[in-house]
Amino acid sequence: MDPKDFFAELKRRKVYSVAIGYIVAGWALAQGIAQVFPVFDIPNWVVRLVVLLIVLGFPVALVLSWFFDLTRYGIVRTPDMKDKIDIVPTVGSNERSIAVLPFTDLSPGEERDYFGEGIAEEIQTALAKIEGLRVAARRSSFWFKDKKADLKEIADKLNVEHVLEGSVRREGNRVRISAELTNCYNGFTLWSETFEREMQGIFALQDEITRAIVDALKLKLDISAPLASRLVRSTDAYDVYLHGLFYSDKASEEDLRKSLEYFERALEKDSQFSRAWTGIAKAWLWLADAYVPPLEAYPKVRDAAVRALHLNDDEAEAHVYLAETKRILDWDLDGAEAEFNRAVEIEPNSTPSNYFIAALYAARGDRDKALAFLQRTAKIDPASLWVNNSACELYRYFGLYDQAIAAGERALQLDPAFVYGEPLLAALYREMGRFDEAIALYQKAERLNGRPAFGLAITYARMNRPDEAREVLAKAIASRGSYTPGDAIAHVHVVLHAHDDAIRELERACEERSSSLHFVGIAPEFAPLRSDRRFTSILKKIGLEPEKVFIATTAS
């Protein structure tokens, strides 16, 4: 460990505070003994022995302070973590790797960004299909948009060797694109070019840029394999589709519904545009549970995914979304697994392909498979708030607190407002007995996003503050409008020892097809229900094997 990091770690673990406190208390105790013991004719050797024990206890106290922390709720183990977290572990230097940054949009007019981001994503998607090239995922690369970070810092954070950046300018039917590929290890530009084309030539231009990058990196490209851009027939449909793609990565209901409008308009211009159907499936998936009841949203996810795959069976994301509908609507976990595996086969470096199958394996108790895909996802998409926040929860379920802390801290650094849900790092703090930190994080997130957290109600319940727990629960339900997942409410009821109420809410979650219901088997909050036949019956009903799931959370 670097000396600077070591001394910072001593401070974080409160070793300095313990040392000073021990010295002061030890000195005062020794002085008191030296004054009092002779009054009672206690031999001097006893005084010397006590002083010696105080001295010998000093290094012991320092060692204990390194590993443990004394809180108002008892002694808890200090987690192993660094003040600055590396985004991903270092990989072999012989691996080719690249991040594609969102292209700066220099077009005139108010409506900007969508085109520059869309072009960059199309190139990123094409590069991700190249064998021997690791490509940072969209959410991670695009997180650096408008951030004051140089290319070397970006490359270090994403653990890539090369960065592609550029700009676009569109006026009427003319498009001008400039792109530059930089080796961030030595700072040299490997390739740069400026192109100007009619909009009708945008697809060929994307392929040309992709080929230039592949050539510069000395990789092989199968020229017989069609790139995604060649499957688009209408530039007008494509332009509208890029609008939809831009809004589909937002978190608000307004933006997601706006993306649906653009995707539907793209299909009006080109009814054979498979990716527009995939976009519709994606938008409804993210609307589900948070804004729209599952039984209303997921049938629309399935319909759109099926339509996309009918037009193009190689739409990996469409397979992911179809898999989710099989899991949620049909409780067909084997069918979902088959669809997820097909998605991974088509796009092995896709975030949705890897993350969603990791979550499925976690829910089913396939611990090793879940962890393998989680690690792959972290490597592909290290700067994704959604990925890191969710990974924190899955690692917590398996009792892997060090990995959970690292993922949760990354999520906190990426966006403290947690636009995709509650700060799941706070739940980890709660499980570790760090209640004050959990409450502070929940309250901070609520100030930023305006949503009371169910996790805060659980935390108060764990602290034996039932009135506050019920108050927060009521506020959290009210903030969700007309629909709240039953399993979210059941979490709180279990900790409040209201088991009948919890079972009732879980049964409602079954009827309403809550997408998060499959995770109650591995969630530690539901451990008190594991001996309840009603609980195990629910798990079996939704396709889980209770014994397998319970064992997975207790494995070392």
Side-chain angles (χ1 to χ4, degrees):
M1 181 182 291
D2 183 88
K4 183 178 179 181
D5 292 338
F6 175 71
F7 289 116
E9 189 71 355
L10 288 177
K11 181 178 180 180
R12 185 182 72 83
R13 293 174 179 266
K14 302 179 182 179
V15 176
Y16 292 138
S17 300
V18 171
I20 295 172
Y22 191 97
I23 291 172
V24 172
W27 175 260
L29 180 61
Q31 289 295 314
I33 290 173
Q35 296 294 326
V36 174
F37 276 25
V39 174
F40 296 96
D41 295 325
I42 297 176
N44 285 334
W45 68 267
V46 175
V47 176
R48 288 193 290 268
L49 176 61
V50 172
V51 173
L52 179 61
L53 290 174
I54 292 174
V55 173
L56 294 176
F58 182 67
V60 175
L62 296 185
V63 171
L64 291 176
S65 69
W66 175 273
F67 291 104
F68 299 98
D69 188 17
L70 179 63
T71 73
R72 58 183 291 192
Y73 305 106
I75 297 175
V76 298
R77 193 183 189 284
T78 305
D80 296 325
M81 65 178 181
K82 300 177 183 179
D83 289 329
K84 294 183 179 179
I85 298 169
D86 295 328
I87 292 291
V88 288
T90 303
V91 296
S93 59
N94 60 339
E95 180 185 45
R96 291 288 185 267
S97 54
I98 187 172
V100 181
L101 302 183
F103 283 20
T104 303
D105 199 330
L106 304 177
S107 306
E110 295 182 0
E111 195 172 34
R112 300 167 60 178
D113 290 340
Y114 84 92
F115 192 72
E117 288 193 14
I119 295 298
E121 180 166 357
E122 292 290 285
I123 295 171
Q124 180 265 328
T125 300
L127 290 172
K129 299 180 184 295
I130 307 301
E131 184 177 354
L133 180 63
R134 179 171 58 82
V135 183
R138 179 188 191 279
R139 289 185 187 274
S140 290
S141 297
F142 283 27
W143 182 77
F144 289 95
K145 182 181 179 180
D146 299 327
K147 302 285 194 305
K148 294 181 179 179
D150 58 31
L151 294 184
K152 182 64 169 64
E153 180 184 354
I154 294 171
D156 289 342
K157 291 288 187 183
L158 298 180
N159 197 21
V160 296
E161 184 180 4
H162 304 91
V163 169
L164 178 72
E165 58 181 338
S167 64
V168 299
R169 182 179 177 87
R170 182 179 176 188
E171 289 190 80
N173 199 42
R174 299 289 295 179
V175 179
R176 181 184 178 89
I177 297 180
S178 298
E180 182 174 306
L181 178 67
T182 303
N183 183 325
C184 295
Y185 284 176
N186 56 31
F188 293 149
T189 298
L190 295 181
W191 168 84
S192 65
E193 190 68 65
T194 298
F195 307 86
E196 190 162 347
R197 298 280 195 281
E198 297 291 324
M199 186 62 185
Q200 287 80 359
I202 190 65
F203 307 134
L205 176 54
Q206 291 171 9
D207 290 354
E208 187 176 344
I209 294 173
T210 300
R211 292 175 186 280
I213 295 168
V214 169
D215 183 61
L217 297 179
K218 296 180 172 55
L219 296 169
K220 292 182 179 180
L221 174 63
D222 183 359
I223 60 175
S224 64
L227 297 177
S229 59
R230 299 182 195 167
L231 302 176
V232 183
R233 302 185 306 172
S234 165
T235 54
D236 288 341
Y238 180 67
D239 182 66
V240 176
Y241 165 78
L242 292 183
H243 273 92
L245 195 63
F246 177 77
Y247 287 107
S248 71
D249 279 317
K250 309 297 182 182
S252 72
E253 181 178 11
E254 179 184 1
D255 285 331
L256 291 171
R257 290 193 179 277
K258 188 179 294 186
S259 76
L260 283 173
E261 294 175 6
Y262 279 113
F263 290 137
E264 289 165 357
R265 285 170 53 189
L267 287 168
E268 291 173 2
K269 296 177 180 294
D270 182 359
S271 62
Q272 302 299 303
F273 195 175
S274 62
R275 281 188 290 163
W277 281 115
T278 301
I280 290 174
K282 173 185 177 182
W284 277 113
L285 183 87
W286 291 112
L287 282 167
D289 296 283
Y291 304 110
V292 179
L295 287 176
E296 178 184 339
Y298 285 109
K300 295 178 181 178
V301 176
R302 172 148 56 194
D303 177 67
V306 168
R307 289 173 180 267
L309 294 173
H310 176 73
L311 294 169
N312 177 18
D313 190 59
D314 288 334
E315 282 284 332
E317 271 196 64
H319 282 286
V320 170
Y321 304 141
L322 180 59
E324 278 291 271
T325 65
K326 289 186 175 184
R327 176 181 73 85
I328 297 162
L329 294 177
D330 305 331
W331 297 323
D332 178 9
L333 303 192
D334 290 336
E337 181 181 1
E339 292 293 339
F340 284 135
N341 278 320
R342 174 66 177 139
V344 172
E345 178 187 357
I346 297 169
E347 291 190 10
N349 293 323
S350 160
T351 298
S353 300
N354 285 278
Y355 172 75
F356 279 100
I357 196 171
L360 174 72
Y361 283 135
R364 300 188 79 172
D366 290 322
R367 179 189 177 96
D368 292 341
K369 291 181 181 178
L371 295 177
F373 278 103
L374 270 182
Q375 290 164 4
R376 286 182 60 177
T377 308
K379 184 178 179 181
I380 295 165
D381 209 351
S384 167
L385 165 65
W386 162 58
V387 167
N388 282 292
N389 199 36
S390 300
C392 174
E393 187 81 333
L394 294 182
Y395 282 129
R396 177 175 77 89
Y397 290 160
F398 289 131
L400 301 174
Y401 284 4
D402 288 344
Q403 293 92 323
I405 280 282
E409 288 286 351
R410 281 195 294 269
L412 187 62
Q413 292 175 7
L414 291 166
D415 187 349
F418 289 95
V419 294
Y420 295 106
E422 297 185 5
L424 298 178
L425 177 62
L428 177 63
Y429 286 157
R430 179 181 67 240
E431 292 301 307
M432 299 174 71
R434 298 164 61 178
F435 296 113
D436 289 341
E437 292 170 89
I439 292 171
L441 188 50
Y442 281 129
Q443 291 177 338
K444 178 182 179 182
E446 182 180 349
R447 287 195 299 271
L448 293 170
N449 61 34
R451 297 188 300 269
F454 288 96
L456 179 57
I458 297 171
T459 304
Y460 283 139
R462 283 283 302 275
M463 298 169 66
N464 197 28
R465 294 160 64 175
D467 292 340
E468 291 167 278
R470 294 187 185 96
E471 180 182 352
V472 173
L473 174 61
K475 290 180 179 179
I477 294 172
S479 71
R480 265 67 177 178
S482 60
Y483 172 77
T484 301
D487 49 300
I489 299 173
H491 270 81
V492 185
H493 285 319
V494 172
V495 185
L496 288 171
H497 308 292
H499 292 181
D500 290 342
D501 292 335
I503 293 295
R504 185 188 68 252
E505 289 294 341
L506 291 176
E507 290 172 344
R508 179 173 70 84
C510 274
E511 296 173 2
E512 297 178 345
R513 295 302 196 274
S514 168
S515 67
S516 52
L517 180 61
H518 278 111
F519 299 96
V520 300
I522 58 175
E525 290 84 358
F526 286 92
L529 292 184
R530 291 180 180 178
S531 60
D532 191 319
R533 290 184 179 180
R534 296 172 298 173
F535 181 65
T536 55
S537 176
I538 290 172
L539 297 186
K540 292 175 182 178
K541 183 177 181 180
I542 63 177
L544 297 175
E545 301 174 42
E547 296 79 8
K548 180 180 179 181
V549 172
F550 299 160
I551 291 174
T553 59
T554 57
S556 59

